[in-house]
Amino acid sequence: RESADPAAAMAAAVAHLARAARSHAAVARHLEAAGFAADLVDTTVATLAARGYVDDAALAERRAEDLMLRRGAGRLKVASELTRRGLTDTVVDRAIAGVLEGQSEIALGRMALRRRFGDELPASRAARAKAFRFLVGRGHPPEIVSEILGEDD
């Protein structure tokens, strides 16, 4: 049973957005799950986007910045997280490129490594393997991790 009440759809969408910023896709999924007609969902999401309440690019930029700069995540984890939120590849790529502008992936990886293991690069083979698994698990590309751990300071 689909609902065709525009005011109810808008109220449901705004209530969903009040809890956290959401992507176009997330708002649409929420409204569809609530039983609103597809054309009403599209209209509601378009209205919210026109008013600036739903902005995929801004959401992606904020989330990519948080993950990469504050939490030490690599670009692979960020891309996965943003894609999972329903953001398009183009929006995801632009957000990651925006964060990496003026930053090197090696520097971001080293920052994450320092936060976890301290200032010393791991010396033993076991410690290097642990650091490698840690960084790859945080979404840093293996070639970047190898470069970080392969350099002697």
Side-chain angles (χ1 to χ4, degrees):
R1 181 185 100 186
E2 289 187 344
S3 174
D5 180 6
M10 186 61 73
V14 169
H16 190 56
L17 287 167
R19 289 188 282 282
R22 315 276 182 180
S23 67
H24 283 83
V27 174
R29 276 193 308 270
H30 177 75
L31 292 175
E32 288 166 0
F36 291 102
D39 59 337
L40 181 57
V41 168
D42 293 341
T43 303
T44 302
V45 173
T47 301
L48 290 167
R51 293 179 183 171
Y53 293 117
V54 178
D55 185 346
D56 284 358
L59 173 66
E61 289 167 17
R62 281 192 311 273
R63 189 68 182 137
E65 186 175 286
D66 179 55
L67 288 169
M68 294 178 89
L69 300 179
R70 292 179 204 34
R71 298 178 186 229
R75 73 175 141 89
L76 301 176
K77 180 176 179 98
V78 172
S80 173
E81 164 74 14
L82 295 178
T83 301
R84 185 185 64 76
R85 288 177 172 242
L87 299 168
T88 65
D89 289 344
T90 305
V91 170
V92 169
D93 291 344
R94 282 189 192 136
I96 292 170
V99 173
L100 289 175
E101 195 172 298
Q103 302 273 346
S104 82
E105 284 189 85
I106 292 172
L108 291 174
R110 282 190 178 138
M111 181 177 67
L113 192 64
R114 266 195 306 278
R115 283 184 189 159
R116 176 73 170 90
F117 295 102
D119 288 332
E120 296 290 319
L121 272 179
S124 74
R125 185 178 182 143
R128 290 169 89 72
K130 184 176 182 179
F132 186 90
R133 287 190 306 273
F134 169 75
L135 288 173
V136 169
R138 302 289 267 163
H140 294 275
E143 61 275 11
I144 298 293
V145 175
S146 293
E147 195 168 335
I148 293 167
L149 297 174
E151 294 179 0
D152 293 325
D153 290 335

